[in-house]
Amino acid sequence: MKKVGVAILGLGVVGGGTYQILTEHREFYQRTQNVDIVVESVLELNRERTRALGVPSDKIASNIAEIVSDPDVSIVVEVIGGVEAAREYVLAALNAGKTVVTSNKELFCKYSHELERAAKRQNAGLYFEASCVGGVPIIRTLLDGVQANKISSMMGIINGTTNYILTKMTNEGTSYEESLREAQQLGYAEADPTADVEGFDAAYKLSILASLAFHTKVPFTKVFREGISGVSKEDIADAKELGYILKLLAIGKQSDAGIEVRVHPTFVRKDHPLASVNDSFNAVFLTGDSVGDVMLYGRGAGALPTGSAIVSDIIYAATHSENKYSTFKNTANADKDTNFISDFKSAYYMRLTVEDKAGFLAKIATVFGKHNISLVELLQKPGKAEDGKVPLVLVTHETHEMSIRKAVAKINSMEGVAHVDTVLRVVS
Ligand code: HSE
């Protein structure tokens, strides 16, 4: 039976899960995949982690050079995170002809061209299923399941931390701050939650997924990004009242006009399949020209779910003699001829605070009319009688992002408008 040696760089949450799956399932893979996958070495300075997993001391390497020069190691798993050290280690492994399996979305997103070039030069593999949506096999699906299709759109909840926070705000009526604190206590959100709550994590993933779905390099810098830190209890309550659920969506679309990619909090109609994806679960909804709609659902993070994606990549690499590379032109400036649409179309929800005066609703409606924006709903909500101000809530039909921005600027400058509190996009 073919024996394949693996080295794991980093035994944190994902590295630990990977080690556990590989050691517990070794015999299962011998039987079902006809391959003996052996963890030959790990690179982890924290002895508590190696002890907790029962890693034998002769399998603990002291530096990357020991791993890349080890002839028994043919696959290197990079799960240390961060960019600079990870990039150096991954390049060292690829340059030594080792296949690399990584969960590092930021690294792959920013340097996929450099890594792929190094891999191809040495005829090594480069696999990254675990970089997007944890245990949900979305990359394999795009490469090997729906490749017969022209994909016109993908829409997903691809960050578990923000989905946990928004679900808690929706179900329990808690504030953003309180929900974030709980997500941190449960280990979903980091002490510095910026990457998740400001949408960076989802934008890295969307850049990778859109590149694969649309066969065109979609750089991270082209992704429109807005996080959830400004979402209020009132927005969540309005969503419910109007028949929506608020979710952080990643949206990618391709048409003859170009490609649009965006991550932002979104009102999703409550009967849409993505509206019932709750807590830390993730889901991606794809539309292909032959298959129609496909939805994948599962855990987007965690030791064993993400370990599952890594080990599936290891098994693929260990059982195939030909490597599989990205299906888009993967060079540093491969996107230079692509039109990325920034003035995309969407419906919008808006909440503003105005003076409670006769004729004000009509004035607001006139501004929208002048910008060619048609309204679906316009409601005045009860305000506090003592300050004479009332909240107005409205939902528009589909219009252009730039038209909304112009209308908001105009409304903000109108006498009698205290402030536009929120503008959020709506998927119907
Ligand atoms: N922090 C991410 C999430 C998981 O909350 O979904 C890793 O990408």
Side-chain angles (χ1 to χ4, degrees):
M1 182 180 302
K2 184 178 173 190
K3 186 172 166 192
V4 173
V6 171
I8 305 177
L9 313 183
L11 286 186
V13 174
V14 177
T18 302
Y19 184 87
Q20 187 187 335
I21 297 171
L22 283 175
T23 46
E24 286 177 4
H25 290 183
R26 180 171 170 186
E27 200 204 309
F28 175 65
Y29 301 144
Q30 289 173 351
R31 191 157 39 84
T32 58
Q33 307 290 333
N34 199 27
V35 63
D36 184 21
I37 301 172
V38 187
V39 180
E40 291 290 353
S41 68
V42 301
L43 187 61
E44 174 57 66
L45 300 176
N46 183 331
R47 289 292 160 265
E48 267 173 38
R49 288 181 179 173
T50 48
R51 251 196 310 276
L53 288 161
V55 182
S57 56
D58 62 336
K59 301 252 179 191
I60 304 174
S62 15
N63 54 51
I64 184 73
E66 262 178 40
I67 287 175
V68 298
S69 61
D70 184 345
D72 291 333
V73 169
S74 55
I75 298 178
V76 173
V77 175
E78 184 277 306
V79 277
I80 54 177
V83 173
E84 280 320 313
R87 178 181 175 205
E88 182 194 326
Y89 292 0
V90 165
L91 282 173
L94 292 170
N95 287 334
K98 316 283 187 201
T99 281
V100 166
V101 172
T102 180
S103 62
N104 197 326
K105 64 200 77 78
E106 187 177 352
L107 175 72
F108 189 79
C109 186
K110 291 183 174 164
Y111 295 106
S112 64
H113 54 286
E114 183 185 42
L115 305 183
E116 194 178 281
R117 196 169 57 234
K120 284 181 170 167
R121 215 168 31 226
Q122 297 294 338
N123 197 22
L126 176 62
Y127 297 97
F128 49 95
E129 178 67 68
S131 68
C132 294
V133 207
V136 177
I138 179 66
I139 290 177
R140 188 69 33 80
T141 299
L142 289 169
L143 292 175
D144 276 331
V146 296
Q147 73 273 44
N149 293 261
K150 289 183 179 167
I151 305 285
S152 53
S153 85
M154 59 162 54
M155 197 153 66
I157 293 169
I158 59 177
N159 180 272
T161 304
T162 46
N163 203 37
Y164 178 83
I165 293 172
L166 293 175
T167 303
K168 191 171 162 61
M169 288 177 78
T170 302
N171 292 348
E172 296 172 33
T174 46
S175 68
Y176 166 75
E177 289 75 16
E178 194 183 338
S179 310
L180 169 62
R181 255 194 316 279
E182 188 173 316
Q184 285 171 319
Q185 277 155 10
L186 289 171
Y188 293 132
E190 318 233 347
D192 174 358
T194 311
D196 289 317
V197 301
E198 297 304 346
F200 288 97
D201 176 84
Y204 289 134
K205 293 169 184 165
L206 180 61
S207 137
I208 297 172
L209 295 177
S211 299
L212 294 169
F214 304 144
H215 306 282
T216 303
K217 186 159 182 153
V218 177
F220 166 74
T221 49
K222 301 291 183 190
V223 180
F224 171 90
R225 178 187 53 76
E226 201 176 280
I228 65 160
S229 57
V231 168
S232 67
K233 281 183 181 184
E234 288 76 17
D235 300 331
I236 299 268
D238 286 349
K240 274 190 188 170
E241 196 179 326
L242 294 163
Y244 297 94
I245 304 280
L246 187 56
K247 295 289 183 192
L248 182 72
L249 284 198
I251 298 173
K253 292 184 184 174
Q254 177 167 245
S255 65
D256 292 342
I259 288 179
E260 67 181 72
V261 267
R262 43 197 171 102
V263 169
H264 48 65
T266 314
F267 275 28
V268 180
R269 275 225 78 86
K270 67 173 190 288
D271 53 1
H272 190 284
L274 288 173
S276 46
V277 176
N278 285 323
D279 300 314
S280 63
F281 277 92
N282 285 198
V284 182
F285 192 87
L286 295 171
T287 306
D289 62 346
S290 305
V291 72
D293 295 337
V294 172
M295 183 158 141
L296 283 89
Y297 168 90
R299 292 232 173 250
L304 295 178
T306 312
S308 157
I310 289 184
V311 175
S312 298
D313 272 350
I314 293 172
I315 292 172
Y316 182 93
T319 54
H320 287 75
S321 51
E322 290 279 312
N323 298 308
K324 205 166 184 114
Y325 299 107
S326 11
T327 54
F328 55 92
K329 188 174 167 210
N330 191 7
T331 56
N333 62 356
D335 62 299
K336 73 176 175 14
D337 297 324
T338 306
N339 182 38
F340 290 97
I341 300 166
S342 51
D343 190 16
F344 51 80
K345 283 180 94 177
S346 175
Y348 292 80
Y349 148 84
M350 194 182 297
R351 160 182 273 268
L352 53 157
T353 306
V354 301
E355 278 175 23
D356 193 5
K357 281 204 303 218
F360 215 83
L361 277 182
K363 273 195 192 167
I364 297 278
T366 306
V367 174
F368 283 102
K370 282 203 173 129
H371 288 85
N372 213 14
I373 299 168
S374 147
L375 298 179
V376 180
E377 309 225 26
L378 176 56
L379 334 161
Q380 178 177 325
K381 312 201 74 177
K384 290 191 206 114
E386 66 273 20
D387 67 5
K389 301 217 169 64
V390 285
L392 285 188
V393 168
L394 59 92
V395 178
T396 73
H397 277 292
E398 211 172 58
T399 183
H400 283 278
E401 174 80 10
M402 295 309 158
S403 307
I404 277 288
R405 289 190 198 179
K406 282 184 198 149
V408 168
K410 175 75 193 157
I411 289 168
N412 257 327
S413 68
M414 277 167 70
E415 207 183 315
V417 173
H419 36 87
V420 175
D421 304 291
T422 316
V423 180
L424 293 171
R425 293 154 196 91
V426 177
V427 166
S428 43

